[in-house]
Amino acid sequence: MTATPPVSYSRRRLLQAALLAPTLGALAGLPGCSLPEQVDGTFLQPWLDHQNWTAADWQRSMKLAQRAGCRQLVVQWSGILGGPEGDWQLSDASFAMLFNAADHAGINVRVGLPFEQRWWQAIGGDETQLRSFFTDSLERARSWLAASGLTRQRRFAGWYLPYELEQYHWAEPARLQLLVGWLRDLQQAAIARGGDCAISTYFSRLQTEGSLVGLWQQVLDGTTLRPMVQDGIGVAGQDNHLALAPLLALFKQRGVAFDAIVELFRELPTAGGDGTQFHGESADFARVQQQLEWARASGAGNVLVYALEPWLTQDTPQAQALRRAWRL
């Protein structure tokens, strides 16, 4: 991706190299005598190379998710606008194969809108840049939704906004008000096509006067978005659960349904140490079990993982160990 964001900006960027590592075939020969760890769903972060996936590739991917107990898949985005490879989107043929494989596996699919790379510049810029991005991206999202026929797919299960919310960039009331208005308009455009709308959130380690609870109080007042809470353990470590406790308390107090996202990777140190590069490896199973215990006790309606691919499918010693322990 062009202009890589600092690591604290997003829990799930820059996984392209790992995601596209070959390996689903390695799963086929593993014994299936024991019940694997069960989760409700997983994410899939598409890249341009997914356009080359065949029906068999999609079927292997969905069978893996099925074996893990998944009843839902979140496609993080349908494409990327303004990236280094130019604008691209998953083709109708790719979506048809994905939905067909998901249907055979009994998995419902939540579809992410196209992600606009300019998001990173907009949230780091001034109010004029932010307003411009919100206006332009809303117009493009409305056009894409109007042309989309995905709601007619048998396993379509709603929309996902591929812009993760954290407290660092929205400490100023005026910026937060702009954000909420944009999210409300995006949600309304999506719901008009059928299905509900969800968005992810995480706790940023960057110092700020903003709070995640304050942000979500405003978002919940202005929208009916379904929150999906990233545990953040892959980057911030096990104590990040403590930072999320006030947000979960808010959701409980207001009776807001939400989902929890468990990260299956751990970030590795980089040479620069400035957060502009990302290197990760699959987490060990003991840590993942602790994360799953937290997620199941959090009050979440669904526990999803980020993500079976690549962190359980690539041919690294860490992924192989996690896969064996998971019994997949």
Side-chain angles (χ1 to χ4, degrees), residues 76-91:
Q76 186 168 343
W77 49 57
S78 297
I80 294 179
L81 304 181
E85 297 168 316
D87 296 350
W88 65 268
Q89 296 181 30
L90 283 178
S91 66

Side-chain angles (χ1 to χ4, degrees), residues 107-130:
I107 294 174
N108 296 322
V109 182
R110 183 183 290 277
V111 179
L113 275 59
F115 174 76
E116 300 220 9
Q117 180 74 9
R118 194 157 64 95
W119 163 258
W120 299 116
Q121 288 74 37
I123 65 176
D126 58 25
E127 188 172 317
T128 300
Q129 290 175 282
L130 196 60

